[in-house]
Every structure is written in C-alpha cells, then in structure tokens.
Amino acid sequence: MFDGLTNRLGQVFDRLKRRGALTEADVTAALREVRVALLEADVALPVVKTFIDGVREKAVGQEVLRSVTPGQMVVKLVHDHLVEILGGDAQLATGVTPPAVFLMVGLQGSGKTTTTAKLARRIARRERKKVLVASLDVYRPAAMEQLHQLAKQAEVSATPIVAGEKPLAIAARALEQARLEGFDVLLLDTAGRLTIDDELMAEVAAVRDLAKPHETLLVADAMTGQDAVTTAKNFNEKVGLTGIVLTRVDGDARGGAALSMRQVTGKPIKILGVGEKLDQIEEFDASRVAGRILGMGDVVGLVERAAEVIDKEEAEKLAAKMQKGGFDLDDMANQLRQVRKMGGLGGIMGMLPGVAKIKDQLAGAKVDENMIKRQEAIIMSMTPRERKDAKLLNASRKRRIAAGSGTTVPDINRLIKQYMEMSRVMKQMGKLGQKGIMRQGLGSLFRR
Amino acid sequence: MTGWFQRLKTGLGKTAIRLTQGIAALVTKRKLDQPMLDELEETLIQADLGVATSGKLIERLKRERFDKEVSSEEVREAFAAAAAEILAPVASKLAPDPRRKPHVVLVVGVNGSGKTTTIGKLAHRWKADGLKVMLAAGDTFRAAAVEQLQAWGQRAGVPVVAGAAGADSAGLAFEALERAKREGVDVLAIDTAGRLHNKAHLMEELAKLVRVIRKLDPSAPHDAILVLDATVGQNAHNQVEVFSKALPLTGLVVTKLDGTAKGGVLVALADAFRIPVVAIGVGESADDLRPFEAMAFARSLMGLD
C-alpha cells in the first residue's frame, strides 16, 4: 500500500541526489513535493503541516548542507520523522488477569469482523490462549453468522447466537461465558457505526462501561481519505481507544490514513490486515512501515512471514540433506510450495528493499504465481526415481514430462538448469555450515 | 414569565443567526489574496478533492477574482458552482429497461464498500416500482455474505439465487441469468465478492464473469456499478481505473454519505473519468439510497446549507 508514496518520494529524492549540494531553496522545493506526496497519499492536512514543519526544522541549515549526500540526508530526516510519528507500543494486552477483553469498533465496512477472527486466530495460535469471540452486531443482516463461520475457520470458540438479544445483553452473556469457561481472551465485535450517530455511540459506550475492555481497537481502512482524522478523533473521544488496526494494507492505497490517525489520537497502530485469508495479519512496526514508505523495503516482514510459513521440521530435514549435498527435485518442489505460501514472488518481492518498481512490473506481466505453479507441475509429472536423480532425465523422459505437465521441453530444461544451480548453492551452504554463512553474509549464496 | 421571552428568543433565533453570518461576511470581505487562496485550497483538499482538482479550481478562481473584494461565503458559493459544473454531466440514475428481460446489473467494489447493502436497497426500490426483481448472491467467498443478501431479499420479497460457499461466482451468475430469463424477470442484480483492485487474479475473475454471462446475453451486463465508500481517499482513482479496465463500468454509487465524510473525491473522479454517479447512500434503511444531485452535493461539500 505504501508503494505510491515510496515512488513519489523516490522521484523527489532522485532529483535531489543528482545534485551535488543542497541549498535552502532545494529543501523548500523538496518539502513542497513531500507535502504534495503526503496529501495525495491521503495524509490529513493538519498532520501534513506538522510533519513538514518538523522536517523543515531539522532539514534547513547545516545538518543538510554539510552532509555529503544531501538527498540521502533528507530521506533519513523524513524517515526518522515518519518513524517518530508512526511509532508506539504495538503490544496487545493479552497478559492481564483473564479474561482479557478486546472491544473492536469502527465504521461500517472497515473490516471489524474479519479482523476479529484474524486476531482471535493469531492470539490462539501464537500465544496458546483460549479465545472466545462474540458479535454484538444486531443490525447488519447475517453479521453474527459471519463471525460464527469465521470463528469455526479460525478454530476458536464463539458465543452462541440468541435471536433478538440486545448488544449489551450479548456482551454480558459473553463475559459470563468467558469467566465461567475459563477463556483467556474475549473479543467483542461490534456493529459498524458512524461517529455522528449519537445513539449507536452511546450504545458502544455502554458496552465499554460494562465490559471494561483492556483493549479498544479502532479498525480502519487503509484507503480512508481526509476523513480518517475525524473518525479517529471522534471514536477516541467518545469510546476511548487503546490502539488502531489498519486493514486492507494489501491494497495499493498510499496509506496516509495511518499517519493521520496515529497523530490525531496519539494511539499506536498495533496490527495490519494484509489479505483476505485469516492468517494475513501482521504486527505493526513503525520503522518497518516507514522504511516501506521510503522504499527501504520490509525485510522484517519477510522474515516474520517466512518463519510462520516454513515448516520447522521440513526445514530441519532440508538442512540435514544440504549437509550431505543431497538436495533433490522433491526438495525443490517443497521450496516452490513454500514460496507460494508466502504470497508468491510478488509477496516476497514487495517486502525486499528497493523493488517497488520491479513489483509493479511483475504484477503487470503476471509472471509470478503461474510460473511457480507450472514448475511444481513439472516436478509432479516426474517419477519418484527421476525426482531423486535428475541425471536420469533423457530426451524421451523430458518429452513425457512435458506432455504430462502441459509444458514444453525447453521449460523442463530451464527447470533442470535452475535445479542444478540451486543444488550447487545448497552444497556450498552445506560446506560452509552455519558459521560460514554468517561470516560471508548471504551475498555469498548468490555469487556465481 | 420566562415563557414568552423564551418563545421570542427561539423565534428570532434563525433570523439572528443569518444576521450574524451576514455581518460576519461583510466584515471579513477582503481582497482575494494568496493567503486566502491557500486557505481555500486547503478546504478543498480536506474534502478529498485531491491536489490536482483543487489546484484547478483555485487557478480558475484566481483568474476570475484575484485582487477583487470577496467574502469567504462568496468564494464558497463560487466553488460550489464550479464543482456542480463538473458534477452535473455525471449526475445520472439507474433506469433498468424491463424490455431486456432481464436488465442485468452487476455490482462490484472493494471489500466493505457496501455492495450487498446497495443491492438490497435497489431491490427494494425496483420492487416498489412494480418490477419483477431477482438477486444473485455472487459473493461466494466472504463468510455469511449469501445469508446477508438473502436477508435483504426476504425483506424486499425478492428471490435470491445462491450457491454453495466457495462456488464459482461466474457459474452462479450464469445460472441466475438462465433462471431470470426463464421466469421473465425484469431486473437481475448480481452481487460480487469484494476485491482489491490491485489483485490481478481477482480482477480476471470479474472479467471471466462478464464473459460467461455474455454467452447467454451478449449485451449483458447492461449496468456495471462500482460501489465506492464516501470515506475513501485518492485511492478511488486507482479503483475506478482498474475496475473499468476489467469490465465496462456504467456508473458509480457512493455509500455512507451520512457520516462526516463528504465524498469530495467524486469531483476529482468526475473531472478525470466522467463516469455517471447513479445513486448515493445516506443511511442504513432501504429508502436511504437517493438519486445524485450535483448542486446539492457540491453545496454540502463546500459546507454551505
């Protein structure tokens, strides 16, 4: 989502980088561009002003003029300032005396119900807690049904639906259930509401007074425009927030709302929703997101995602094989599968530094998923013996595999070449051992 | 004793407010200078008009009125008029043609923009207009989306064609169209799963849905409506652009205008794409889907009325 801003700032700073020295006029010009970039990224105007003033204060004068590469200096200043604004404690209050009560609030369609299920799943899996969810949305048709279905998918418990019950009564019942049945965490999903709807705001305040939540999270869409400020401010004043969840971060919105809401409420952004599936939720990390805004990549996100997706046992088995240099085509198929689980090449590329542009091209060319799938199909069309020993693959076998996988012989040759390359690297890694890799850096793996 | 005094005060209230405002306007009347222009530009940007369109409106005002005596109200009026001018050509409405048997309306949008609710409201209105309506629950992805549409169908007394969760939405749309033809339905509205426009495979899925229903009716869909949330910011541009590449958009519906968001991005969209706005959503009940009126919208955007 932050790619737009990244590109925009990239253009600004490209211009700066091409010049030797930076005059004060340049700073002003650059900041004007930054201002436009931020406004186009939907950062609210008052927030933009504060931000620009903050950067200018630091930028104008010696700090920048004296630096060797002025462009980089400004990038750093903008980055640091972004981190400063975005930063905050993203820890969720799950560690209190059970049950920890979370209240999810927000406008209609911001993603509360999905987020509730995602959060429940995450807390249940990562922290090994017993989680209960309850929907207080008695207004939108089938909203309670939705949370129930999602809870089932997330493998957490849900408070049974009682038709005609009022939100406050449901909350009381859910609390009771959480206490009696020994749940660690209770997530209360609420109906979407507009902040000017006094009646509904009073209702959610009443739920808050009853449930005394440890976390009150505002769920907000990353695509929100200038109005983000009003929404966040009103929810904070009328209900009292402890944090913000930003959803649809996997869209291409520039995500200025994140900056705005953080600044206006003073409450930290704690969680990002990054996809439609229940495991597509990430912890918020200011320096990471600020880095992404400025095109510095999201390596931490990549590592985090990898750690979750890659099966530990599989990884250990592979490591053992690598030691012996026995990396075969089955292992390669496994790796391809893991790449796909991590969101495909596009997903991985998006998190690597400085590839925002390549990612766009990739998305345009649509090479990502299909290529990996096809390679997987090729390997699956081989006999187990062929997968163990690629040397067996002669012309007639290749023709058979091509027919079986719906590809061509050149496709298969390409795959074999790639496999050889990979197994060579694996052997090297095996020889180097853990220490060796650390010493030489990951770069050694890609050296030819 | 306080009775009559109170009444008098209330009675005068409105006049008084108008008077104060009038005087304030007189007092603040000053030459249109750069600081004033800057302040005005900010008003526009804060209403989500975007940097480009705001700049355009400001340039125009500068050309016409710079250095002349104006009040802030006058300028707002001028802006409202300019915005209305941009919006007027796109103000339109949904007019299903029952002779098509059925007139197919495809409803698309990003997640949570209000597609299902909009369809529910539309069904209600069409039904009241005496049309024979059918709905297709094409959102087979989101949990309980089908149930949500069914609840709306029940309220409006309109049949809903639904498939199993996770079923192919193009197949379901095909089936619904087949059935609508057979039963002589006037309007068929097809709901779709919310999708982010930057997911190529999901957009391809939409294109496929269109291809599939065209096998039954080459002129379908007769309307393809993009539902936009009023709180959306500049990303609306990307949404309109990408969605209209995947299928021939014929109109926009802007929802949730009853909140604090004013949907100013519409002006920028009208400026850039000229896609008709067919309705606005101003509340949760079935009657809260209204026709779009350019002038009224523009005035509320500028904080007039």
Side-chain angles (χ1 to χ4, degrees), chain B residues 21 24-25 28 36 70-79 304:
Chain B
Q21 279 179 345
T28 56
M36 193 165 169
V70 284
S71 72
S72 139
E73 268 73 16
E74 274 172 24
V75 175
R76 275 164 213 274
E77 291 280 356
F79 275 143
L304 296 161

Side-chain angles (χ1 to χ4, degrees), chain A residues 116-368:
Chain A
T116 303
K118 283 180 175 178
L119 212 51
R121 183 184 180 276
R122 183 182 169 97
I123 294 169
R125 295 212 167 190
R126 286 212 166 180
E127 305 185 20
R128 308 237 165 258
K129 304 248 182 198
K130 211 175 151 196
V131 182
L132 178 68
V133 298
S135 168
L136 312 185
D137 187 351
V138 297
Y139 306 100
R140 185 167 60 95
M144 301 172 100
E145 181 61 26
Q146 185 188 352
L147 185 63
H148 259 255
Q149 290 184 13
L150 289 173
K152 199 180 270 176
Q153 288 172 27
E155 293 166 344
V156 298
S157 311
T159 301
I161 300 173
V162 175
E165 207 175 14
K166 290 268 187 320
L168 206 57
I170 305 173
R173 190 160 53 87
L175 273 169
E176 183 75 8
Q177 187 188 352
R179 281 194 199 113
L180 289 178
E181 299 178 17
F183 282 97
D184 300 311
V185 181
L186 167 64
L187 299 175
L188 294 173
D189 181 23
T190 65
R193 64 199 73 223
L194 298 164
T195 54
I196 52 166
D197 189 331
D198 291 332
E199 208 178 301
L200 282 180
M201 292 307 278
E203 178 202 281
V204 74
V207 169
R208 174 204 60 200
D209 294 342
L210 174 90
K212 303 194 175 52
H214 302 90
E215 289 276 3
T216 304
L217 299 173
L218 173 67
V219 181
D221 191 327
M223 300 185 293
T224 314
Q226 296 284 327
D227 204 49
V229 177
T230 320
T231 303
K233 203 159 98 194
N234 288 348
F235 268 108
N236 195 32
E237 277 167 11
K238 293 182 186 170
V239 192
L241 303 173
T242 58
I244 295 162
V245 178
L246 206 61
T247 60
R248 289 177 210 132
V249 174
D250 52 326
D252 62 354
R254 296 175 184 183
L259 284 176
S260 309
M261 291 190 290
R262 173 73 184 94
Q263 176 91 333
V264 163
T265 60
K267 296 296 173 349
I269 301 162
K270 298 197 167 183
I271 294 284
L272 303 176
V274 293
E276 294 183 328
K277 300 202 185 91
L278 286 181
D279 61 344
Q280 290 172 328
I281 178 172
E282 284 174 11
E283 209 162 284
F284 182 81
D285 176 342
S287 63
R288 209 174 100 194
V289 171
R292 214 160 119 185
I293 292 176
L294 295 172
M296 293 172 181
D298 186 11
V299 179
V300 189
L302 178 66
V303 173
E304 211 183 57
R305 181 99 50 98
E308 214 165 76
V309 163
I310 292 171
D311 197 330
K312 223 178 173 185
E313 271 177 45
E314 289 274 353
E316 273 163 17
K317 243 174 26 195
L318 182 65
K321 266 190 175 172
M322 266 163 47
Q323 291 282 337
K324 284 184 258 159
F327 177 79
D328 63 24
L329 281 157
D330 267 326
D331 300 322
M332 186 173 171
N334 260 334
Q335 295 224 315
L336 291 174
R337 242 168 261 139
Q338 276 162 358
V339 167
R340 268 210 297 161
K341 267 200 241 167
M342 285 166 75
L345 282 181
I348 297 174
M349 295 291 257
M351 288 185 274
L352 288 173
V355 286
K357 278 178 202 159
I358 304 174
K359 197 181 149 202
D360 285 346
Q361 287 166 1
L362 262 183
K366 284 187 212 168
V367 287
D368 43 3

